[in-house]
């Protein structure tokens, strides 16, 4: 290179080619990216394009249907129910899962065994949707002996309102009792000094209360009405005497007896363990009634998978799976939070609730937004849980767009409408994805 002459300018060196950060040439980079681009085109771009085109054709695929398939999205009852349920899913599932994740992440920072708790909460993420659906189909079983949800619910209910021990009890042959408003009443009025027999049948010996003892015939009392209510268990000729207390028969321990005059209860008593009971002289001339409460069916819990509760029940199973995911991401954000800000707030006199609400949550807002938006995209595509947990009788009530897409495309052979649902789902997901991408880029610039 020559030096500059007087009054002249130095020669400009030739411009150098810009290289990539790693020094890789563009041709080599393109060759490495080509297989991924081919797969992306074959597995994503082509199916999307085909679905868009197919959504404008009729069921056979030969005739152009225009926007008729899209009109069906808002006129078909099944699709409208699915759309309504998807709105419920998008509003509640991400919100509750994110809120629980936030609570778990904040609280586990304060306990020594927080890591173990996080592991337990995150563990459902290792289970497939199929397995989770099977698990919760059993959890929500109507039978309290099988479904844990109803086992807990029935246990709580029976703590405050005990069920009858005699739902199947009823009068036998030649009984002095007759039906009355769900219970039974004596055919004739009773008198003081009389010992009344109230035989019932229909309860197997092994289903009798544990407190029940061998029945005895009540002794008479001149000023009172006495009696016996027992299981009159006759098993054919020569085994047990009809209408009489036998040594092998048990009393209806705990059964309620009422004395009724002119439609009003004048006295009441509870049957003892041996089946005997005693009423005061007020019962003289009254009818004895066994109220319907003695014979009501035992409480069997809630119909979790019935039409009214099936969607909330399935959302509950989704939250069980994904709250751990939200907790882990929020905990990562919490770990990177500057602690001096929290300490400064406490020094300024803020209590823990104020620190959480005014410092922790605002600082975690970007992470919370990413978690919530990610879960929104996820719930728009939910299919497995609804398909497996909801029984056939309630599947229409629990329907979502992804399930309706499957039913239209495979069960009802309407590929045009199924393609329209797929395109509609894509249009719903795209704005949420763009929001998430923009937020992530904004965070990177910071």
């Amino acid at each position: 290179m020559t030096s500059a002459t007087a009054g002249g300018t130095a020669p400009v060196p030739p411009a150098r080619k810009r290289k990539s950060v790693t020094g890789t040439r563009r041709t080599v980079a393109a060759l490495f990216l080509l297989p991924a681009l081919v797969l992306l085109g074959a597995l994503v771009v082509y199916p999307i394009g085909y679905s868009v085109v197919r959504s404008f054709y009729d069921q056979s695929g030969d005739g152009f249907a225009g926007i008729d398939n899209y009109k069906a999205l808002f006129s078909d009852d099944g699709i409208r129910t699915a759309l309504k349920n998807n709105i419920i899913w998008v509003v509640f599932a991400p919100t509750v899962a994110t809120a629980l994740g936030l609570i778990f992440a904040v609280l586990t920072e304060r306990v020594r065994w927080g890591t173990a708790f996080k592991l337990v909460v995150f563990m459902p993420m290792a289970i497939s949707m199929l397995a989770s659906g099977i698990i919760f189909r059993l959890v929500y079983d109507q039978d309290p002996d099988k479904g844990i949800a109803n086992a807990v619910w029935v246990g709580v209910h029976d703590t405050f309102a005990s069920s009858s021990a005699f739902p199947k009890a009823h009068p036998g042959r030649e009984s002095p009792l007759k039906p009355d408003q769900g219970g039974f009443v004596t055919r004739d009025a009773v008198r003081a000094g009389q010992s009344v027999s109230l035989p019932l049948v229909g309860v197997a010996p092994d289903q009798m209360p544990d407190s029940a003892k061998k029945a005895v015939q009540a002794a008479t009392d001149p000023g009172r009405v006495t009696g016996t209510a027992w299981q009159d268990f006759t098993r054919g000729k020569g085994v047990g005497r009809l209408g009489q207390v036998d040594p092998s028969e048990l009393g209806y321990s705990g059964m309620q007896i009422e004395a009724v005059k002119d439609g009003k209860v004048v006295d009441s008593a509870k049957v003892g363990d041996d089946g005997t009971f005693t009423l005061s002289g007020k019962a003289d001339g009254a009818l004895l009634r066994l109220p319907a409460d003695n014979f009501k069916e035992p409480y069997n819990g809630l119909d979790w998978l019935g039409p009214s509760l099936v969607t909330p029940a399935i959302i509950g199973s989704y939250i069980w799976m994904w709250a751990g995911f939200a907790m882990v991401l929020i905990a990562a954000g919490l770990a990177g939070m500057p602690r001096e800000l929290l300490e400064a707030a406490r020094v300024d006199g803020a209590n823990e609730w104020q620190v959480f609400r005014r410092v922790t949550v605002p600082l975690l807002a970007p992470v919370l937004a990413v978690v919530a938006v990610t879960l929104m995209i996820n719930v728009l595509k939910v299919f497995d849980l609804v398909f497996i947990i909801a029984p056939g009788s309630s599947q229409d009530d629990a329907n979502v767009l992804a399930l309706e897409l499957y039913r239209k495309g495979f069960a009802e052979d309407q590929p045009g409408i199924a393609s329209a649902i797929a395109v509609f789902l894509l249009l719903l997901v795209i704005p949420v994805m763009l929001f998430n991408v923009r937020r992530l880029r904004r965070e990177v610039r910071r």
Side-chain angles (χ1 to χ4, degrees), residues 39 61 79 255 262 352 360 403 438:
L39 285 175
I79 300 177
M255 183 172 282
D262 300 325
E352 291 302 318
T360 304
L403 177 60
R438 286 181 180 177

Side-chain angles (χ1 to χ4, degrees), residues 50-65:
Y50 181 81
S51 296
V52 172
V53 173
R54 187 66 181 83
S55 66
F56 292 103
Y57 283 82
D58 59 16
Q59 181 175 333
S60 65
D62 299 326
F64 185 74

